């Protein structure tokens, strides 16, 4: 008999009743150290008192009015994002997937309005993850995500990771945009080198397509810069943001230049909940905290500490682990042992991690995790690794 909750997830037999910082209390009272942070969502830890105050203060005033009216909290958050990034304008959503939908619509409308209705194709990358809508799965194109869900939305071409020649060959007069995660999350914490992001920008400038960055997972200070692409010194035309921006409240945003967004006039897109006062009040508080230079410096310091400890861990367990990769506090450990077995062994040490493709263990701690919790996490991973059979 099917469960009351549609069984699309293989869930661990764990449930939590309370969170505080990087710690979760399970229903049996045991405590877990959380290095997954809700898959890079709880950027400031669980039950952060500052975010709770922002949420409850807004909750006591006004939850929802719809986008039929001006929403000052939304305007405030949009202005903060515009002030801190390449973008001139922002549309708010409730999730990452919805930002993928708008990115596709925006790029196609841009070319349609410029008199190039033939430019409808997107070039994406093998291992990409942009969400679970029909457009987002067509963009990723992996068998795991698309099998049984055809006919797929047309207009997406996947290029092999790191294959520059294939990329150049894929660009044509029909290309609307090149669409990439500066660091692949689900794909296994694969960092696009700065040189390649620069190359992508040049390729787009040379041949016409818009450049879309999906920073749903790698954005919002996770790499020690407000957005990951800042490291490469290039900017996209359109950027998808979600996960960390709400600190746990469902919130996403599409950021764009004035030119890229020029086709999205009144009536072309909408959302009942997107940009509601609750989400935007929390998002503004998250932005206020994570965009402070001292906060970003702290992320980098913690990241260096964690990385150094992980190098030691790998050296101690060369049969279980292979290498660390990633940037800032978006780190992956490529495993030699089966990553699912490592995640399970970590559960046994009351440590939460997240598996990713390419047999990679993901560590996505809260950005404000105390140093001693990082040390404790690596100690627990050490014990977990000792119990993994290879
Ligand atoms: C999680 C994720 C998405 C989808 O976000 P949802 O909020 O789950 O819809 C899109 N892109 C990337 C890079 C992600 O990590």
């Amino acid at each position: 008999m099917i469960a009351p909750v549609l069984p699309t997830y293989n869930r661990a037999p764990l449930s939590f009743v309370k969170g505080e910082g990087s710690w979760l209390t399970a229903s049996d009272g045991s405590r877990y150290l959380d290095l997954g942070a809700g898959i890079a969502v709880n950027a400031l830890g669980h039950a952060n008192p500052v975010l709770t105050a922002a949420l409850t203060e807004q909750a006591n005033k006004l939850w929802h009015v719809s986008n039929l009216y001006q929403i000052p909290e939304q305007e405030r958050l949009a202005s903060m994002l515009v002030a801190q990034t390449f973008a001139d304008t922002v549309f708010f959503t409730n999730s990452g997937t919805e930002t993928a939908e708008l990115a596709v619509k925006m790029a196609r409308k841009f070319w349609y309005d410029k008199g190039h209705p033939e430019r409808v194709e997107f070039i994406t990358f093998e291992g990409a993850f942009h969400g679970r809508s029909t457009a987002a799965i067509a963009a990723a194109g992996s068998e795991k995500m698309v099998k049984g869900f055809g006919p797929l939305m047309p207009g997406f071409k996947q290029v092999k990771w790191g294959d520059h020649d294939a990329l150049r060959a894929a660009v044509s007069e029909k290309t609307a945009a090149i669409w990439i995660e500066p660091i692949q999350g689900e794909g296994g914490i694969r960092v696009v080198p700065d040189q390649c992001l620069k190359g992508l920008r040049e390729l787009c400038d040379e041949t016409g397509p818009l450049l879309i960055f999906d920073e749903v997972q790698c954005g919002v200070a996770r790499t020690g810069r407000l957005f990951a692409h800042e490291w490469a010194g290039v900017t996209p035309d359109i950027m998808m943001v979600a996960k960390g921006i709400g600190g746990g409240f469902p919130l996403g945003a599409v950021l764009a230049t004035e030119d890229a967004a020029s086709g999205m006039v009144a009536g072309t897109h909408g959302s009942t909940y997107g940009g509601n006062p609750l989400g935007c009040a929390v998002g503004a508080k998250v932005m206020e905290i994570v965009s402070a230079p001292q906060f970003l410096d702290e992320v980098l310091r913690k990241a260096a500490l964690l990385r150094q400890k992980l190098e030691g861990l790998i050296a101690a367990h060369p049969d279980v682990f292979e290498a660390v990769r990633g940037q800032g506090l978006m780190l992956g450990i490529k495993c030699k042992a089966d990553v699912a077995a490592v995640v399970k062994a970590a559960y046994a040490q009351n440590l939460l991690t997240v598996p990713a493709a390419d047999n990679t263990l993901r560590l996505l701690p809260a950005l404000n995790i105390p140093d001693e919790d990082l040390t404790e996490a690596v100690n627990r991973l050490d014990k977990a690794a000792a119990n993994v059979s290879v």
Side-chain angles (χ1 to χ4, degrees):
M1 205 170 63
I2 195 163
V5 174
L6 191 72
T8 60
Y9 278 93
N10 248 328
R11 294 168 195 268
L14 288 170
S15 75
F16 301 101
V17 293
K18 195 173 158 30
E20 193 184 355
S22 290
W23 293 87
L24 285 165
T25 305
S27 45
D28 67 359
S30 56
R31 292 179 82 227
Y32 285 77
L33 181 49
D34 183 8
L35 271 259
I39 318 183
V41 167
N42 302 99
L44 298 173
H46 296 282
N48 183 296
V50 179
L51 297 189
T52 303
L55 182 68
T56 48
E57 191 191 325
Q58 186 59 44
N60 285 321
K61 286 197 288 201
L62 187 66
W63 292 21
H64 176 81
V65 290
S66 89
N67 286 303
L68 296 174
Y69 312 104
Q70 320 280 323
I71 300 178
E73 295 79 12
Q74 193 183 122
E75 286 164 23
R76 177 157 176 261
L77 178 54
S79 302
M80 291 170 93
L81 287 164
V82 164
Q84 305 257 9
T85 67
F86 73 95
D88 302 311
T89 188
V90 183
F91 183 92
F92 291 104
T93 68
N94 312 285
S95 70
T97 298
E98 290 164 82
T99 67
E101 291 298 308
L102 175 53
V104 169
K105 285 178 68 178
M106 188 182 278
R108 285 186 174 166
K109 186 66 161 44
F110 171 84
W111 287 114
Y112 181 89
D113 285 0
K114 298 260 173 195
H116 287 284
E118 74 285 357
R119 279 208 186 250
V120 294
E121 284 185 0
F122 294 82
I123 295 175
T124 61
F125 295 84
E126 168 234 322
F129 183 84
H130 300 300
R132 294 290 197 159
S133 65
T134 48
I137 63 172
S142 71
E143 182 175 328
K144 181 180 148 212
M145 268 189 278
V146 305
K147 197 176 171 200
F149 298 113
L152 289 184
M153 177 183 282
F156 298 90
K157 267 196 213 167
Q158 291 82 27
V159 168
K160 221 165 144 337
W161 179 260
D163 189 340
H164 295 189
D165 295 337
L167 173 63
R168 274 201 171 263
V171 176
S172 77
E173 303 282 279
K174 286 195 190 153
T175 311
I178 297 177
W179 184 3
I180 194 165
E181 295 155 81
I183 304 175
Q184 278 192 353
E186 304 302 311
I189 312 291
R190 297 200 289 183
V191 181
V192 181
D194 290 350
Q195 277 312 98
C196 297
L197 282 188
K198 283 199 186 105
L200 276 174
R201 181 69 269 178
E202 282 162 19
L203 181 62
C204 288
D205 292 344
E206 224 174 86
T207 56
L210 297 175
L211 182 58
I212 305 174
F213 286 160
D214 179 346
E215 293 228 17
V216 168
Q217 196 162 144
C218 62
V220 196
R222 182 132 304 265
T223 65
R225 289 280 180 95
L226 190 51
F227 290 101
H229 69 263
E230 292 172 26
W231 288 108
V234 295
T235 57
D237 301 290
I238 299 172
M239 177 167 71
M240 300 153 55
V241 177
K243 294 203 164 94
I245 186 80
F249 195 92
L251 178 66
V254 174
L255 281 63
T257 63
E258 181 166 14
D259 194 30
S262 57
M264 303 308 293
V265 297
T268 55
H269 199 62
S271 169
T272 296
Y273 293 121
N276 66 77
L278 278 180
C280 289
V282 178
K285 191 51 83 177
V286 171
M287 271 295 289
E288 211 178 286
I289 295 171
V290 305
S291 62
Q294 311 88 294
F295 184 90
L296 293 164
D297 286 348
E298 269 294 283
V299 170
L300 287 176
R301 190 189 58 75
K302 287 176 196 294
L305 180 74
L306 177 57
R307 199 166 183 129
Q308 183 199 12
K309 287 180 185 291
L310 291 177
E311 298 287 1
L313 177 80
I314 288 168
H317 301 277
D319 45 345
V320 178
F321 301 124
E322 202 174 308
V324 190
R325 60 198 192 195
Q327 201 168 13
L329 288 174
M330 182 170 185
L331 293 176
I333 309 178
K334 167 90 172 159
C335 295
K336 277 191 189 149
D338 177 29
V339 67
V342 178
V343 170
K344 209 167 163 203
Y347 285 147
Q349 301 300 328
N350 289 35
L351 175 71
L352 306 181
T353 59
V354 187
D358 200 25
N359 208 42
T360 300
L361 186 76
R362 255 184 297 179
L363 304 178
L364 307 160
L367 302 177
N368 59 357
I369 186 170
D371 290 2
E372 56 268 31
D373 288 352
L374 286 176
T375 304
E376 180 62 24
V378 177
N379 289 343
R380 289 180 187 215
L381 263 183
D382 182 47
K383 287 188 190 136
N387 292 331
V388 174
S389 51
V390 286

